[in-house]
Every structure is written in structure tokens, then in C-alpha cells.
Amino acid sequence: MNAFDVVVIGSGSAACAAALRAAKGGLKVLVIEKSNRLGGTSAMSGAGIWIPANHVAAAAGVADSKEEALAYLHAVQPPQQKESDSGRWAAFVEAAPDMLQFLAKNTPLDFQLVAEPDPFTEAPGGKMFGRMVTPDALSRRLLGRFAAKLRRSTLPHSFTYKEVVDLDIYHHPIKAGFKVWHKLLRRWLTDAGGQGTALMVGLIKGCLDAGVQFRLETRAVRLIQDAERRVTGVEVEHREHKALIEAAKAVVIASGGFEWNRQMLERHFPGPIDRIGSPSSNEGDGQMLARRADAALLCMDQANIYPCLPTRYERRPSGLPMTFQAEPHSIVVNRDARRFVSESDFNIGEALDARDENGMPVHLPAFLVGDHRFLKGALPFRWYASYERNWVKKADTIQELAQKLGLPAGALEETIGRWNAQCKAGRDTDFHRGENSWEEYKAHGETNRLKPIDKPPYVGMSLNRSILGTKGGAKTNERGQVLREDGSIIAGLYAAGLAMANPFGTRAVGAGTTLGPNMTWGYIASETILQQNQ
């Protein structure tokens, strides 16, 4: 049967939120996934979800409001985005709490509050607690025949995101394991997982219960449009066989980013990239489908950029997102051997990606430099560093380290000398490392993490951009409808998640700024579809 009301392209959190809302509204829904695994980048994620004024916080007595959330977004997002995105920020803030409550009622997901503050807590509307939620663990067995098809992760999903935060497993993995060993054993026996595993188990289970159909290894190759240019279906390819699928009401593009498309990546992110931490199926299919249907593409230079440790995934080099660059006895320097950001800045990815007027990176290549005590800070660092044997350089002198990294030796000596002097004085007067609420929280009680680099041997390694997902794609309005260059609506076509021109770009307003908005935009798209077809 190839006739449906709604066809959703992709199977991540944005796709499943859209599919579930449409199905619960009485529509016949098909989700198509080009790979042989369900869940997309969301299944690999830590599943931190940023939702302001949510019902979980309200039940816990945490005060928040949509007005405060919107004030926060206007205060902390880049000024140039206000004109183009403020309407979509308002739409997100309005719909996000309803979306989360909808998921709680229509899936097995049990959301918990996570004790993480907004990164810009001091800004108007910023909060120390209440906007970060995450699901409790769920068993893959809930998915029946699809259980083995759920995408696995490079992250340790035996832990929930809340446990990762509360137990600080990066610094204390063995101690954390002992504290919750009984939970880990139960999860192993029941094939359960937390983080992205739990999120996508819950979403897919909710979809299955609502009658949503899933087809794997089914790639969308063309959007079908009628004489009025309305999108009415999708041409797909399954194991070299092509077929047409009717979408009587709508097609929703939620196929992820384009970070594995080398040509697109080099065009929009010139300069060095260390690692990619997403499924290799994120090749920009949705962006290309939308463009061929006459959609405008925007925000193509925006991405979720975050430091990643080297690892392997699906038999190829990959990245594991981790805040290793903020460890004591280390700093981050640019190609001129100068510091350019607080190492604890939550948006260090934005600083790494800073561009000049020609769109070229101004700081890259960048490097983390420190002394041998940096390597003792966390066992996981040494484990994952072994995946890339020549990544960590060691030297007995700063001059030798500079030579190995290709940095100007005099400038590196001067920068490290200045850092050591600031450590002695107890304050980073250049970039105020450890002074705001977020950085203080991430320091885990260590005073500012201002520790000198003065005990050889010295170490250094590249710290360029690592991409967890690009955030550019089809331009949409406040209702999730895809727009042409002239602002007109392409009837029957919607976009959500990393396949849309995301109103939350490289600058993140919370640790869950990707998943929270992505699911909300999937929900908004289907709300619009349902309203237009009443």
C-alpha cells in the first residue's frame, strides 16, 4: 500500500515527533529511513532536552514562564538573527511545553529534570534549574521486531543523561559504575538504555502504538509536485527499485544534516574539521530534495559544533562529544598560539567556527596545550585518545611542543607564561574562565580550574571544529511550512529538525538546544497539517 496522508522523511526525534502528532490526530502516517537503522542522530545523542516552562519543572515547584524564556532567547541569541528568527523563537516557546506534555502522555517516556543551568544564566530570563529534561531508561524490547534496528551510540547509554551529569562519569567512571551497579545490571538483563536510546525507544514505541508505519532502507529521491506545484508524494528507492508514495496531506522533511556530504561540508564549513559525530547517512538528502522543489535554503553555515574525542563507529573514524578541553593544566590556542575563548565556554564551538568577511575561519587550526597533569584528569580521555595514535603530541619543552604543532614558539611561550601568571593571581582577566554560573557549575567544585602549565613533559593536540550535525536547510515559517525564495509557501511541504533552516544555530542556549527545538518543530509541523485538514 503506497497511499498515506503524511510521509515523514527520516526517523530521528524531529521525524518521530511529527509522525506521532499526525497519527494521534487521525492521519495515516509513513516514516521512511534511508539507512538500515532507526533513530538517526537522536539515537546517538545524550538526550539532554531544553524545554522552557515545562510541566516536569512545574510539578517540582520550579518557577518559569514563556515570557521569561522568550526574553532569554532575545538576550542571548546573535543580534543579526532577531529580525529573521524572532517569530520562530516565539512559536517554539509557545509550543515546546505542549510538545513535551504530549510526548509524556502518548509514549512510555518518563522525563526527569537535570541539574544543569542555562549557559547564560545571568542574562534576562536565564534559569539555574528547570529547563533541562531527559528520559529515564527504557528497554529496546519495547520495539518488538524493530528492537535490533535501533541505532547504537558511541556514548555509554547504559547510563541515563541525569546519571552522567550527577555522577560525573567522565572523571569518575569506576566510582559511578559502583554507585548504580544494580541499575546497570538490570538494564543489561533487560536490554535497556538511557540517553538517546531511551528517547528513541519511547518515540518509536509511541509511533508504533499510534499506527505509524516504518520502512527502512528506503531513500527519498524526489518530491512529487502537481500542476499547482503542491507536494503530493515522494519517489523512493528501496534496494535499487523505485516506487511512488502518495502523501495526500503533506510530506515532512526531517532527514538530518549534511555533514557527511563532503562537497556540501567543504563549501559551507571551509577549513579543518577534526571529527564528525553523527550517522554517515546524514548526507544532505533533505536539503537537496527541498532545493529541487524550489525551497530557499538558509543557515547552511550553522551547526552543532562541539569538541569530540576520537572513536570509531560503523567501522570508520568518528567523534565522541566530550568537554575535555576545559580540564585543569591546559588552555586552547589559535594558529597564532594565542588564547581566544574561555576553555569552559559552553559555546566554544561558535568561537572555533568564527569566520572573516570571506567566510574563512579566523582561528583555525586551533590546539589544546597543557602539561602532563592534563592527561591524568580523566581515564576516558586516555582510552579514546588511543583511537588516534598521533593525535596527542608530547615534548620536553614548550619550544619543542610548538615545533611539533606548527605554532610560533615565542608566542606560545608568552601565552603560557601569561596563563601561569593569571593562575597565580587567581583570575583569568582575558576570558574570565570559571566566573559565570555555567562555568562554575562545570568546574565541579574546583576553583575556576585555573591551574598552571609548568610541569614537563608538555602535551598538545588539534582542537578544530567537530560537527555533531549541521543546522542549515529549508527555510520555514512559524508553522513549519517550507518557503520559496520569495517567501511564498510550498503547499504540502514541511521541514523540521536539522533538515530545516534552524532558528537555533551554532550558538546554543542550553545543552539540549538541538533536541528540544527539533522535536518541537516536528510537533508544530504536524499541528499545522492537522489544522489545515480539519
Side-chain angles (χ1 to χ4, degrees), residues 448-461:
N448 294 344
R449 292 206 167 189
L450 304 187
K451 301 295 175 66
I453 301 169
D454 57 3
K455 301 289 184 184
Y458 299 98
V459 298
M461 64 219 70

Side-chain angles (χ1 to χ4, degrees), residues 81 257-259 264-265 268-269 273 275-278 287 298-307 346-353 355 465-473 497-498 500-509 513-514 518:
Q81 289 185 229
F258 59 82
E259 58 273 9
M264 293 176 72
L265 191 66
H268 298 291
F269 293 88
I273 292 174
R275 298 169 192 97
I276 297 175
S278 66
Q287 288 81 354
L298 296 178
C299 305
M300 297 295 281
D301 61 350
Q302 301 293 294
N304 184 357
I305 299 172
Y306 203 76
F346 181 74
N347 278 287
I348 192 171
E350 185 180 32
L352 289 169
D353 193 48
R355 317 274 185 104
R465 296 166 298 187
S466 288
I467 295 180
L468 304 180
T470 57
K471 289 194 166 187
L498 300 185
M500 70 186 286
N502 207 293
F504 299 93
T506 302
R507 182 175 297 179
V509 300
T513 310
T514 302
N518 285 1

Side-chain angles (χ1 to χ4, degrees), residues 326-331 339 342-344 419-429 432-435 439 443 446-453:
E327 293 296 291
H329 305 290
S330 68
I331 56 174
R339 288 180 73 217
S342 165
E343 291 76 9
S344 298
W419 169 253
N420 291 344
Q422 290 179 326
C423 291
K424 186 175 181 180
R427 185 158 187 247
D428 172 13
T429 55
H432 308 286
R433 178 171 170 177
E435 292 182 17
E439 296 191 18
E446 294 185 43
T447 306
N448 294 344
R449 292 206 167 189
L450 304 187
K451 301 295 175 66
I453 301 169

Side-chain angles (χ1 to χ4, degrees), residues 149-411:
K149 295 297 184 179
L150 184 68
R151 182 170 292 283
R152 298 281 177 153
S153 176
T154 55
L155 292 167
H157 280 187
S158 50
F159 291 89
T160 68
Y161 184 78
K162 179 174 171 57
E163 290 165 350
V164 169
V165 171
D166 292 347
L167 300 174
D168 189 15
I169 68 168
Y170 178 67
H171 295 101
H172 309 289
I174 297 174
K175 182 180 178 181
F178 275 119
K179 280 191 173 182
V180 293
W181 69 267
H182 54 294
K183 292 183 179 180
L184 301 181
L185 177 61
R186 184 167 63 251
R187 290 168 193 165
W188 179 74
L189 292 172
T190 59
D191 194 22
Q195 303 181 64
T197 294
L199 178 64
M200 291 315 304
V201 165
L203 287 173
I204 295 170
K205 173 62 173 171
C207 285
L208 291 171
D209 289 346
V212 175
Q213 295 185 38
F214 288 85
R215 294 184 188 175
L216 294 166
E217 299 178 82
T218 302
R219 184 174 193 166
V221 295
R222 181 173 65 92
L223 296 175
I224 302 166
Q225 293 177 280
D226 63 17
E228 284 74 41
R229 299 164 69 196
R230 176 185 178 87
V231 173
T232 59
V234 186
E235 182 181 5
V236 301
E237 188 174 71
H238 175 71
R239 297 176 182 173
E240 299 183 358
H241 297 287
K242 290 187 177 180
L244 301 180
I245 301 176
E246 179 186 346
K249 309 295 185 186
V251 171
V252 181
I253 300 175
S255 51
F258 59 82
E259 58 273 9
W260 285 97
N261 184 313
R262 182 181 294 274
Q263 185 178 7
M264 293 176 72
L265 191 66
E266 290 178 351
R267 177 183 176 186
H268 298 291
F269 293 88
I273 292 174
D274 281 350
R275 298 169 192 97
I276 297 175
S278 66
S280 58
S281 54
N282 285 10
E283 298 174 303
D285 290 31
Q287 288 81 354
M288 292 185 284
L289 286 169
R291 188 70 196 98
R292 288 195 289 268
D294 203 27
L297 299 185
L298 296 178
C299 305
M300 297 295 281
D301 61 350
Q302 301 293 294
N304 184 357
I305 299 172
Y306 203 76
C308 284
L309 293 172
T311 187
R312 292 189 69 82
Y313 185 73
E314 296 179 330
R315 298 186 297 278
R316 68 172 66 194
S318 184
L320 176 84
M322 196 62 65
T323 315
F324 65 90
Q325 84 287 346
E327 293 296 291
H329 305 290
S330 68
I331 56 174
V332 174
V333 300
N334 63 15
R335 62 193 178 205
D336 300 317
R338 305 296 184 186
R339 288 180 73 217
F340 58 96
V341 66
S342 165
E343 291 76 9
S344 298
D345 191 330
F346 181 74
N347 278 287
I348 192 171
E350 185 180 32
L352 289 169
D353 193 48
R355 317 274 185 104
D356 62 19
E357 62 275 8
N358 298 313
M360 299 300 293
V362 298
H363 295 303
L364 305 181
F367 302 88
L368 184 150
V369 296
D371 66 30
H372 73 281
R373 290 170 293 186
F374 165 82
L375 298 177
K376 296 179 179 179
L379 177 63
F381 178 88
R382 300 196 295 276
W383 172 269
Y384 286 104
S386 67
Y387 282 96
E388 199 171 307
R389 294 187 182 278
N390 296 320
W391 180 45
V392 178
K393 313 290 186 186
K394 296 182 180 180
D396 291 327
T397 66
I398 294 173
Q399 297 95 320
E400 182 187 356
L401 181 65
Q403 183 178 18
K404 288 186 175 183
L405 298 177
L407 291 170

Side-chain angles (χ1 to χ4, degrees), residues 126-162:
K127 296 289 181 181
M128 280 297 297
F129 180 66
R131 290 175 174 167
M132 277 293 297
V133 299
T134 193
D136 201 356
L138 286 173
S139 171
R140 297 176 184 86
R141 294 174 187 172
L142 289 172
L143 301 185
R145 66 187 180 92
F146 287 114
K149 295 297 184 179
L150 184 68
R151 182 170 292 283
R152 298 281 177 153
S153 176
T154 55
L155 292 167
H157 280 187
S158 50
F159 291 89
T160 68
Y161 184 78
K162 179 174 171 57

Side-chain angles (χ1 to χ4, degrees), residues 463-490:
L463 188 75
N464 298 305
R465 296 166 298 187
S466 288
I467 295 180
L468 304 180
T470 57
K471 289 194 166 187
K475 179 182 180 181
T476 61
N477 60 17
E478 291 90 342
R479 304 183 71 190
Q481 297 167 301
V482 174
L483 306 178
R484 299 183 181 90
E485 293 281 359
D486 62 6
S488 61
I489 294 170
I490 301 178

